[in-house]
Amino acid sequence: MASLAGRPDSIRPTRSVEIPSIEPSSDGWVGFNTNSRQQYNDFLILIERTDLLGDEELASIAGRTKRFDEWNEIVRSWTSRHTTAEIVERASLLRIPVAPVNDGKTVFDHPQLRERGVFVENPSGGFLQPRSPYLMNGEGPRPFEPVPKLGQHSGKIEPRKRELWGIAPSAAEKPDLPLAGIRVLDATAWWAGPSSTHMLATLGAEVIHLEAIQRMDGMRMLGGMFFTKPQWWEYSAVYLSANTNKRGLTLDLNSAKGIEVVKKLIAKCDFFVENYSPRVVENFGLDWDTVHRLNPRTIMVRMPAFGLSGPWRDNVGFAQTMEQMTGLAWLTGHTNDQPRIQRGPCDPLAGMHAAFASLVALAEREVTGEGSLLECTMVEGALNAAAEQLVEWSAYGSVLQRNGNRAPNAAPQGLYPCAGDDKWLALSIATDGQWRAFVELLGSPEWANDDSLADRKGRLAAHDKIDEAIVRFTSDRDLAEIVEDLIAGGIPAAPVRPGGDASSHPQLVARGFFESCEHPVVGTHPIVTVPFRFAT
């Protein structure tokens, strides 16, 4: 995004929160997100403020941020008069992405998760955990089994036979990528689906991304900040990054001709991937039975927000919804603040689960000769990321709480201001040895040599006092010099870098993590690659 904007200093946005997002109800917290203008307009209907439909400033994120206090008063004067359950029911009828903001206890009571049976007992007994977040032909992977004991399988593992894995190419040959020859029809939008098929494309598959000019991929709307440019819809940084190595195709699936073309294409594809609401693809007549008749070898990957069954089956959900519903948002934020969403990581999380499951289904096809129906549910992927909270409650009856930048296994840990404009040090001291090295760097002040701070338990108890002392130490010092001294002393530390500066980080540059990619409309810009390299 910084590169698309020409890297002006102003590309560094002020830190902000998404609004509307997590709002107080009469009995807790409720979460929304409005990724489209239609969802925003429907939200105004929900809170009984249709008089604001003509206010174009409030219709934009920037406008709501500018009028932050006014907007919060408008929203919260309504939400605080209604229960979470009542708000969820009303918002769902309007197809507004909505969810209760659950913690590690209340998440077990959600009707969608209960009905789908996503919580399973750990084989050791004593607590529950989420199941694996994908189903193949309605079944999950094999049930969880106890962790093997040390030496339990000694002498029982057969050596791999070389011929099963192929013969390594000679140095003169250029090996094909793993999915060379595989064709994917990618009927996904936004970020979760496209990130999944992007991984398949990176692995060598021919991926054809399907859109409609009548209803383009919603992630293109991020290009709206460049609306004064011709073809501004090509300027979305996330869209560009998630769709490299793909072909593009536009079809109107509301027309008989469009459906005819897409069916012909499915018949020639190894994968058909979609992340519409379940009812949409079925209304197009592209359900699993139809796809399987068109080509018995085609693998259909469905990525619903909440699953293909259950009372929330047809509800709309985005990454923010998953963060709110699973407990991830409950743990995010400072102790004296409300729950906060992470603003997006559940999208690529769902995408990577779906990409992994797709490779499993491909291996299954090698055995059976037939394609499978994969159900890769977004919320269940997020539950696996939130599993610590679920285990804590089901095992010990403990509800984990927000604790800012702190963690139970490190103290002190946090972000500390340094000299200059918006310069911050990230510091995490995990061992007593690191603490002793840090005290020496501080100049061994009397307070730091207190015996009560010698171990992590004592430092956790005195975290506030330690933080105050660290701020006094860092606030008038140069960030780069502090980081250099800390690293030299074996202390985990780093400067906090704006996202727009990531592509210039020397480690990432040396690793080739960003690749320059030429686009016929937006020009040449750095694109994020993947966090692995193939052995050659």
Side-chain angles (χ1 to χ4, degrees), residues 107-119:
V107 69
F108 287 102
D109 299 325
H110 196 285
Q112 177 69 8
L113 304 177
R114 265 205 329 265
E115 184 163 321
R116 281 180 58 81
V118 303
F119 304 114

Side-chain angles (χ1 to χ4, degrees), residues 9-25:
D9 290 341
S10 60
I11 196 61
R12 299 184 182 184
T14 55
R15 285 173 286 281
S16 63
V17 294
E18 192 170 296
I19 47 177
S21 182
I22 294 177
E23 312 295 346
S25 66

Side-chain angles (χ1 to χ4, degrees), residues 209-415:
H209 184 236
L210 179 62
E211 291 184 76
I213 59 173
Q214 296 84 359
R215 191 180 180 86
M216 68 177 75
D217 188 331
M219 194 54 84
R220 288 185 182 272
M221 296 302 103
L222 285 183
M225 64 182 292
F226 301 100
F227 72 94
T228 57
K229 294 180 179 288
Q231 296 180 266
W232 58 265
W233 53 86
E234 299 287 2
Y235 283 78
S236 166
V238 179
Y239 179 88
L240 292 170
S241 297
N243 290 288
T244 55
N245 296 334
K246 299 181 184 180
R247 300 182 186 274
L249 173 67
T250 58
L251 288 176
D252 181 3
L253 297 186
N254 287 309
S255 71
K257 184 178 180 180
I259 291 295
E260 179 186 359
V261 172
V262 82
K263 286 183 176 180
K264 288 181 179 179
L265 193 52
I266 288 172
K268 297 182 179 181
C269 285
D270 299 280
F271 285 93
F272 174 45
V273 188
E274 63 86 19
N275 69 337
Y276 297 107
S277 296
R279 62 185 180 84
V280 174
V281 73
E282 291 157 11
N283 289 342
F284 287 146
L286 298 175
D287 55 83
W288 166 239
D289 288 340
T290 300
V291 169
H292 198 54
R293 281 197 305 270
L294 290 169
N295 184 350
R297 287 180 58 80
T298 297
I299 297 164
M300 186 175 185
V301 184
R302 304 195 64 181
M303 300 178 63
F306 301 105
L308 299 178
S309 62
W312 277 46
R313 174 186 188 272
D314 292 317
N315 282 29
V316 180
F318 289 85
Q320 299 96 319
T321 321
M322 308 307 133
E323 295 156 16
Q324 293 156 359
M325 180 170 161
T326 60
L328 289 173
W330 175 260
L331 271 192
T332 302
H334 291 281
T335 305
N336 59 349
D337 191 19
Q338 68 172 71
R340 298 290 183 184
I341 59 171
Q342 296 84 30
R343 301 179 82 168
C346 289
D347 273 326
L349 177 67
M352 292 308 100
H353 279 303
F356 175 80
S358 295
L359 299 181
V360 175
L362 199 57
E364 180 78 1
R365 191 179 74 172
E366 291 298 306
V367 176
T368 66
E370 289 204 344
S372 301
L373 170 63
L374 284 180
E375 180 185 353
C376 303
T377 306
M378 197 173 183
V379 70
E380 294 178 32
L383 272 176
N384 275 269
E388 181 184 9
Q389 294 182 75
L390 280 59
V391 171
E392 281 287 332
W393 170 255
S394 62
Y396 308 116
S398 172
V399 177
L400 297 181
Q401 302 292 333
R402 292 178 294 284
N403 201 18
N405 292 311
R406 296 177 181 177
N409 57 352
Q413 175 174 287
L415 305 178

